[in-house]
Amino acid sequence: MTLDQRDIGPDAATLTVDLGALVANWRMLGARAGTEAGAVVKADAYGIGIEPAVTALSSAGCRQFFVAHLSEGIRARKAAPDATVYVLNGMLPGSCGLYAEHGLSPVLGSHEELLEWASFRQTGATVRPAALHVDTAMNRLGLWPGEGRSLAREKAGVIAAAEIGLVMSHFASSEDEADPANARQIAAFAEIAAAFPGLPASLLNSSGHFLKGCPAYQLTRPGYALYGGNPTPGRPNPMQPVIGLEARIIQLREVEAGMQVGYNGRWTAKGKRRLATICLGYADGYPRNGSWTDTVTGGSAVVGGALCPFVGSVSMDLIILDVTDAPAGSAVRGAPVTLIGGPLDLEAVGAGAKTVGYEILTSLGRRYQRRYVGL
Ligand SMILES: *Cc1c(COP(=O)(O)O)cnc(C)c1O
């Protein structure tokens, strides 16, 4: 992805979203799995915007979407009128009517939910098939594996009444290939899938696509990797970058040894340094934990191709950079700097802010000028 400097807004930072790369990543994951890939578009499509993401993916042929909340499901449904939209968090008591009204499929994860959905269906309501979530490790959402298997045995019971269209489970640590929990979950889910013969099954999240010896079943559920996150941390990123974040330098100054910089003077110059202040801060979703103090390292930005460390606290609307080592002429008033992109991939930005790339993506601010490119 290349960023054209002329397209960067006059004041706010600019977030560039490459929808072509999003679609290429979705195709690559489906081809790799050798089965149908759905798309997880919860949390506003991990921050990039649910409407543009769903529109781009459904035009490319994606037919099954996953969101976390009912309200997200309603937005996804508008952008993809014919797709199946699963709501991962299931449904709160009394909300079956809203699922029917918007043609959404709840992911049912408890007996109470199953019974409520089954009895709602018996009122003659037109609903789409729901999914059944079986918890194979996390103790978070879903039926116990034993409960799932015994429900499968009672053919005319609540499962038939609820009209289940998909059985699924979720990995707890698939990004860590060496974690023995993966093999346990793979085995537990194989038993579940076998207990529901003929029912489509779904297990793989992004990193699951790269686990050796894991069947892909009939549908996969990638999220993070679609948006360019590395599903194989510690190894080269097989995905194309989808987002780029640029801000501008608004002021420059020189400081002398011993001068303190930023709120609470948490950074002290060790010598003569050239500093640049840029127009982006934690109110734009850049974590304050990216602050770089006398004792703790933090985030960086790319200026003229050089990696320049943050200086002091990340403020609400501003970050200060040490641009002493930036190439001559690159750190000038109005010049663009890159916060996400090039060497600063989502993993690097996450590490600099003591968090994960997932949180960097889903925290992307609402104040950016957003540019959708690539389609
Ligand atoms: C968020 C989520 C996914 C997607 O996970 P990624 O690691 O982002 O690919 C898949 N399935 C469930 C149940 C989820 O909650």
Side-chain angles (χ1 to χ4, degrees):
M1 179 167 44
T2 56
L3 285 169
D4 183 344
Q5 197 178 327
R6 285 165 307 175
D7 288 338
I8 298 174
D11 61 349
T14 302
L15 182 74
T16 304
V17 179
D18 186 340
L19 295 172
L22 172 73
V23 166
N25 286 339
W26 175 75
R27 290 208 170 103
M28 187 275 241
L29 291 169
R32 188 180 166 91
T35 196
E36 179 178 354
V40 182
V41 294
K42 61 193 179 189
D44 204 21
Y46 288 52
I48 75 159
I50 192 167
E51 285 83 10
V54 169
T55 305
L57 289 167
S58 67
S59 311
C62 183
R63 293 277 152 265
Q64 314 216 41
F65 293 92
F66 293 84
V67 296
H69 293 287
L70 176 69
S71 56
E72 298 174 333
I74 294 170
R75 288 171 66 190
R77 158 66 60 241
K78 288 206 177 102
D82 301 323
T84 301
V85 178
Y86 288 107
V87 179
L88 291 165
N89 283 5
M91 46 175 216
L92 286 168
S95 60
C96 292
L98 284 168
Y99 282 81
E101 184 186 332
H102 297 282
L104 302 174
S105 302
V107 176
L108 306 171
S110 70
H111 280 284
E112 293 95 311
E113 278 179 291
L114 264 167
L115 287 171
E116 189 175 339
W117 185 251
S119 53
F120 179 72
R121 276 199 69 239
Q122 270 141 33
T123 64
T126 316
V127 293
R128 302 235 188 175
L132 182 69
H133 191 165
V134 179
D135 191 332
T136 50
M138 293 184 83
N139 287 312
R140 192 178 67 163
L141 281 179
L143 297 166
W144 297 104
E147 287 181 301
R149 289 195 304 272
S150 58
L151 278 174
R153 280 194 293 274
E154 40 167 290
K155 293 269 181 279
V158 66
I159 292 286
E163 200 196 333
I164 298 300
L166 181 74
V167 60
M168 55 168 273
S169 192
H170 189 43
F171 277 120
S173 33
S174 54
E175 78 289 351
D176 178 4
E177 244 190 337
D179 193 321
N182 294 321
R184 286 200 297 273
Q185 286 194 267
I186 292 168
F189 191 68
E191 283 186 42
I192 293 294
F196 291 95
L199 197 62
S202 174
L203 178 61
L204 308 189
N205 67 338
S206 295
S207 294
H209 288 73
F210 298 84
L211 278 181
K212 287 187 191 75
C214 183
Y217 296 102
Q218 286 74 36
L219 178 67
T220 70
R221 304 188 312 275
Y224 188 52
L226 294 177
Y227 309 102
N230 188 352
T232 59
R235 287 189 276 146
N237 189 350
M239 312 314 297
Q240 293 187 26
V242 171
I243 66 158
L245 179 59
E246 304 243 314
R248 284 175 183 267
I249 294 176
I250 50 181
Q251 229 188 74
L252 292 127
R253 72 187 60 230
E254 283 196 348
V255 292
E256 307 290 338
M259 284 184 165
Q260 293 183 326
V261 178
Y263 279 120
N264 308 108
R266 292 168 70 206
W267 183 94
T268 315
K270 304 264 185 320
K272 197 184 178 85
R273 307 302 291 174
R274 190 154 184 262
L275 306 185
T277 304
I278 63 170
C279 61
L280 172 142
Y282 64 75
D284 298 292
Y286 203 106
R288 200 166 159 276
N289 268 342
S291 299
W292 194 310
T293 70
D294 288 335
T295 51
V296 184
T297 60
S300 316
V302 180
V303 185
L307 216 49
C308 296
F310 291 3
V311 166
S313 290
V314 170
S315 309
M316 185 186 294
D317 316 295
L318 301 166
I319 293 173
I320 306 162
L321 306 176
D322 183 343
V323 294
T324 315
D325 299 327
S330 62
V332 296
R333 184 171 156 250
V337 309
T338 301
L339 281 304
I340 303 175
L344 291 174
D345 60 9
L346 290 166
E347 278 59 46
V349 177
K354 291 120 200 133
T355 182
V356 289
Y358 284 77
E359 194 175 354
I360 299 296
L361 261 181
T362 55
S363 305
L364 288 170
R366 294 171 302 278
R367 191 159 59 168
Y368 303 132
Q369 174 179 316
R370 288 179 177 234
R371 296 171 57 224
Y372 290 93
V373 302
L375 281 187

